[in-house]
Amino acid sequence: MRIGFVIYGSLDTLSGGYLYDRKLVDYLRENGDKVEIISLPWRNYAAHLADNFHFRLPPDLDLLIQDELNHPSLLSANSRPRKYPVISLVHHLRCSEQRPAWGNWLYGSIEKRYLNSVDGFIFNSQTTKRVVDSLLDSSKPDVVAYPPTDRFRVGLTKMEIEARANEPGPLRILFLGNVIQRKGLHTLLDAIRHQTLDVRLDVVGSLNSEPKYTRNIQHKVKISGLNSKVFFHGPLENEKLIDRLKVAQVLVVPSSYEGFGIVYLEGMAFGLPAIGTTAGAASELISHAETGYLIPPDDEAALANCLSTILNDRYLLTQMSVNALLRYRQQPVWAETARHIREFLLGILKIPAVPF
């Protein structure tokens, strides 16, 4: 197949969504498909809407995949006649994020127009599929294909996980994600301050995605007297990230919304119970009080109570850590998921699936 793939910026961007896109492109190429990356520049939403005055879809393809993140740039291009199907890869909708109702009404109206302009969907979770289905007037072909969560191919043994959970000292918390408001780092900091918990928090992720928010976070750490508890590492490559995952005792990313939440399962590969929120797809991954906790978004008191519980009950932490590892092992491996995507794309083109 000759496939185009529309993204913003670089495929090497460090985030769960770009990891999914990157791994999918790699799989398609490994199986003989020619994939052309069509990159549009990162700008603000209004500037992306202005792309509609000049951006056109490329002519010579069998099929085009569009990361739904690019939706504001593609409304006009998708409405023009084309000779091939367009498939939208949906990580989560912008109108699902936490913001004033009028803002999500505006984004929702634009996204609905975009979603109606494509011919099918790749969804990263059942939650994302349900949200999109609720916006559309008619059903379109789709596949639910869970993200790659086996990129590290290493972890810890059950004995190592049990020993780590019972190590004395502060509870070692890992926040893994770009420092943006949606990821909820402010809620975690407020929870730590709420009960003056004995913890160490390592923050791993880009500090440049939302500079103003990052400055506010760093100021909050300073004025709250948390400098001795909170450590910013920036983005880490695999080996250094693996070291952080091995040392941590719990993963906390209290996002206001996740379309899937690759990071929760990546932490579970190392036996880390995960704390997420009830918004979005985290509930597809986290079983409350078994493999972690689900709290309401922005609920610092609930988060503080969860952290206090496992800090003071290492037996419970041990059980949840082992359960987290078992949950990770139930997840399909990426090669299986990617194969389903490719078979779906071949089906759209009515080409028999033949092993490459």
Side-chain angles (χ1 to χ4, degrees):
M1 292 182 288
R2 295 170 301 167
I3 300 173
F5 203 120
V6 180
I7 62 169
Y8 283 139
S10 170
L11 201 60
D12 293 326
T13 301
L14 293 178
S15 75
Y18 278 92
L19 172 65
Y20 190 118
D21 294 356
R22 187 164 61 249
K23 295 283 281 185
L24 177 57
V25 168
D26 289 344
Y27 181 87
L28 293 171
R29 287 172 172 168
E30 288 166 4
N31 283 270
D33 301 310
K34 296 180 179 180
V35 183
E36 174 189 355
I37 303 302
I38 302 157
S39 174
L40 296 172
W42 267 114
R43 289 169 294 165
N44 61 44
Y45 199 82
H48 289 157
L49 286 170
D51 289 336
N52 289 282
F53 290 110
H54 58 82
F55 179 72
R56 301 291 182 270
L57 301 185
D60 299 321
L61 298 171
D62 296 319
L63 181 144
L64 180 65
I65 300 173
Q66 298 173 343
D67 189 313
E68 196 274 343
L69 180 67
N70 290 60
H71 73 267
S73 300
L74 302 171
L75 302 171
S76 178
N78 284 1
S79 68
R80 289 179 168 81
R82 56 180 183 266
K83 297 181 179 180
Y84 52 78
V86 171
I87 305 299
S88 181
L89 170 52
V90 190
H91 299 292
H92 80 263
L93 298 187
R94 190 180 183 97
C95 63
S96 295
E97 296 176 8
Q98 192 176 44
R99 62 171 56 85
W102 69 266
N104 276 338
W105 176 86
L106 175 62
Y107 290 129
S109 62
I110 296 172
E111 284 187 296
K112 181 176 181 178
R113 179 180 168 188
Y114 165 77
L115 295 169
N116 278 308
S117 75
V118 303
D119 303 300
F121 300 101
I122 301 167
F123 297 121
N124 66 342
S125 70
Q126 292 290 345
T127 298
T128 301
K129 172 177 165 56
R130 285 194 297 271
V131 172
V132 170
D133 286 347
S134 71
L135 288 178
L136 296 184
D137 300 324
S138 60
S139 61
K140 298 185 180 187
D142 66 67
V143 61
V144 176
Y146 295 110
T149 58
D150 51 356
R151 61 170 167 153
F152 297 119
R153 302 188 183 278
V154 294
L156 297 177
T157 66
K158 181 173 177 287
M159 289 182 61
E160 289 171 327
I161 289 169
E162 292 172 338
R164 182 188 62 191
N166 287 283
E167 290 174 358
L171 180 68
R172 300 192 295 272
I173 303 170
L174 177 63
F175 174 94
L176 180 54
N178 292 333
V179 180
I180 59 177
Q181 186 161 1
R182 181 172 61 84
K183 296 293 182 178
L185 180 54
H186 56 281
T187 304
L188 177 52
L189 294 177
D190 287 339
I192 293 171
R193 185 179 57 174
H194 187 78
Q195 292 188 2
T196 59
L197 296 171
D198 184 19
V199 301
R200 173 193 168 108
L201 169 60
D202 289 291
V203 178
V204 175
S206 173
L207 303 176
N208 300 319
S209 298
E210 290 182 7
K212 182 179 179 180
Y213 177 74
T214 298
R215 290 193 297 271
N216 290 339
I217 285 292
Q218 292 173 329
H219 181 66
K220 181 187 287 284
V221 169
K222 182 178 179 180
I223 65 173
S224 301
L226 296 176
N227 286 308
S228 62
K229 295 184 176 183
V230 181
F231 302 89
F232 294 93
H233 299 272
L236 297 179
E237 297 298 331
N238 272 16
E239 291 304 317
K240 291 183 178 179
L241 178 53
I242 287 170
D243 290 341
R244 287 289 110 209
L245 288 161
K246 286 182 175 179
V247 169
Q249 293 169 310
V250 60
L251 176 77
V252 184
V253 185
S255 298
S256 61
Y257 191 89
E258 288 288 348
F260 181 74
I262 295 175
V263 66
Y264 302 127
L265 279 171
E266 289 184 335
M268 289 180 186
F270 294 82
L272 297 181
I275 301 181
T277 72
T278 52
S283 61
E284 292 188 40
L285 310 174
I286 303 169
S287 297
H288 184 72
E290 293 181 10
T291 60
Y293 292 107
L294 294 165
I295 63 167
D298 294 325
D299 194 335
E300 64 187 71
L303 179 51
N305 287 335
C306 294
L307 294 173
S308 180
T309 297
I310 57 177
L311 170 63
N312 295 304
D313 188 343
R314 294 307 175 103
Y315 175 77
L316 175 62
L317 175 58
T318 301
Q319 294 302 113
M320 293 177 73
S321 299
V322 172
N323 290 343
L325 178 63
L326 295 177
R327 171 61 183 88
Y328 168 76
R329 289 176 176 172
Q330 296 170 8
Q331 194 69 13
V333 297
W334 171 245
E336 178 183 345
T337 298
R339 178 172 58 81
H340 287 316
I341 295 174
R342 188 169 187 270
E343 289 173 352
F344 169 73
L345 298 178
L346 289 169
I348 292 290
L349 296 175
K350 296 180 171 55
I351 300 174
V354 179
F356 178 73

